[in-house]
Amino acid sequence: MVTRNDVARLAGTSPAVVSYVINNGPKPVSEAARKRVLAAVEQLGYRPNAVARSLRSRRTWTIGLIASDSTGGKSPFFGQFTRACEEVAWQRGYSVLLGNSAEDPERAEGYVRRFMERRVDGLVLMRVPVSVERAAELRGVPVVTIDHEAPAHFSRLAVDDEEGGYQATRHLIAHGHRRIGYVAGPLDVTPVGLRADGWRRALHEAGAQPDADLGALVAEGELSLEGGYDTALRLLSRPDRPTALFASTDDQAIGAMRAAADLGLRVPDDVAVAGFDGAREAAYTVPGLTTISQPIDEMARHATETLVGAIEEAAEPVTKIFSASLVTRGSCGCPEPHLIR
């Protein structure tokens, strides 16, 4: 079996330098030495012993990522975030174990338990709640939560959902709309509820609707294309239908646009539509979808780097709230940008 010493002899370096190259640290290595070591690894077919490495470092070099929907079927946010997180983890020498809780709290707890049995070095929880008891068991384990409330010993990253809902609704108000419906997911889901708060605040400030009328402008459904379609049908089939819709996700907004078309309504002439997420698909609807864009890749990079920092340097938990930005397209009545490159 080829050993680290064999690689060092061929590369003309010490075994420690070989270790630094393979483990990407902890000490820097000159580019020339790095190239010699990598060439020797390739020539000799050296494969580090992962078990021995874990025993020495007391790490498994794995991260557990649990999402409420890792397939992206309910929202493109999950798939894009997961891919960006895995890319950063790979660059830092970590593998990612992925669990899909399917929005089932018991299944989420089961994944937490199984991942900890496999000695993952840390956890990323994407809109996945954990019980008080489970959170207490994770004290001392690096954990980053995404878009969910978290205990003080977890790091928490989120986008400013309320401000995003406010921005979207204010923009629709600026187009002259006063009866703006909210195509909502389950309101007990933290981001959905916060986006509703922003929608409500904007309408209050504009004097657009009295409190008593706001309930008639909200309809809850699944966080999916189908959920947006069904929810928008209910809102747009009313005699006093809204003239604009703000959806809690881009998928719901796209479903709402199809519902409008099936009812013979034109977007944006008869009903304006805005979404939330900044999904890539939003640029390819007809008309293009106005949306509140989340910095998904930036959030994923920050989440992974925060977790690695906690694993390798025992960094303290952090809370970071990211800003979202309004991207205007034709669905609200703004000029339609051209995609031809």
Side-chain angles (χ1 to χ4, degrees), residues 16-334:
V17 169
V18 174
S19 177
Y20 299 154
V21 171
I22 292 171
N23 296 319
N24 197 27
K27 292 185 178 181
V29 176
S30 70
E31 188 60 27
R34 180 179 296 276
K35 288 181 178 178
R36 292 202 308 274
V37 169
L38 293 177
V41 166
E42 182 68 22
Q43 181 177 333
L44 295 173
Y46 173 62
R47 296 294 179 267
N49 188 319
V51 175
R53 181 189 182 204
S54 295
L55 289 173
R56 287 194 304 271
S57 64
R58 296 187 179 181
R59 296 183 203 153
T60 60
W61 302 92
T62 56
I63 291 170
L65 191 157
I66 306 172
S68 58
D69 176 30
S70 62
T71 65
K74 296 292 181 68
S75 171
F77 174 88
F78 294 105
Q80 188 175 339
F81 185 100
T82 300
R83 179 176 179 179
C85 182
E86 191 275 337
E87 181 64 28
V88 176
W90 176 260
Q91 293 170 3
R92 294 298 300 268
Y94 290 81
S95 299
V96 176
L97 299 180
L98 181 61
N100 181 358
S101 75
E103 299 182 350
D104 180 347
E106 289 187 9
R107 184 165 169 173
E109 296 252 329
Y111 266 119
V112 171
R113 185 174 59 253
R114 291 183 185 185
F115 283 175
M116 295 314 300
E117 288 171 354
R118 286 163 174 75
R119 307 295 185 191
V120 297
D121 297 319
L123 291 169
V124 177
L125 306 178
M126 294 177 59
R127 296 183 187 170
V128 172
V130 294
S131 66
V132 174
E133 295 77 15
R134 184 67 64 191
E137 292 173 7
L138 292 173
R139 188 174 292 277
V141 176
V143 179
V144 177
T145 65
I146 309 300
D147 277 350
H148 205 278
E149 295 301 321
H153 57 284
F154 290 4
S155 289
R156 176 176 177 258
L157 275 62
V159 75
D160 193 339
D161 291 293
E162 181 179 352
E163 182 61 25
Y166 177 81
Q167 283 187 54
T169 309
R170 286 292 302 173
H171 185 71
L172 293 171
I173 290 170
H175 276 282
H177 298 283
R178 292 296 180 271
R179 191 165 179 80
I180 301 170
Y182 183 38
V183 177
L187 288 168
D188 59 353
V189 174
T190 301
V192 176
L194 290 173
R195 293 166 195 179
D197 291 343
W199 163 82
R200 188 177 296 107
R201 176 160 62 96
L203 289 175
H204 281 168
E205 285 185 6
Q209 293 293 327
D211 282 341
D213 293 344
L214 287 182
L217 292 173
V218 180
E220 295 183 64
E222 286 190 354
L223 290 166
S224 63
L225 291 164
E226 297 82 2
Y229 179 86
D230 293 339
T231 304
L233 276 182
R234 300 204 304 271
L235 287 171
L236 295 177
S237 297
R238 296 173 180 173
D240 56 347
R241 66 170 178 81
T243 63
L245 296 174
F246 166 52
S248 56
T249 69
D250 284 349
D251 265 9
Q252 287 178 295
I254 293 170
M257 291 170 69
R258 177 56 191 255
D262 285 355
L263 291 172
L265 300 174
R266 297 167 299 166
V267 176
D269 298 337
D270 300 317
V271 58
V273 179
F276 199 119
D277 270 339
R280 295 185 178 97
E281 293 84 351
Y284 292 88
T285 60
V286 180
L289 177 63
T290 291
T291 183
I292 298 296
S293 179
Q294 302 190 72
I296 300 175
D297 290 344
E298 181 185 354
M299 289 176 68
R301 286 193 298 271
H302 196 90
T304 312
E305 293 290 356
T306 296
L307 190 65
V308 170
I311 293 168
E312 298 183 355
E313 302 170 16
E316 292 295 317
V318 299
T319 296
K320 183 173 177 59
I321 306 301
F322 292 81
S323 297
S325 57
L326 177 69
V327 178
T328 60
R329 300 188 179 99
S331 69
C332 65
C334 283

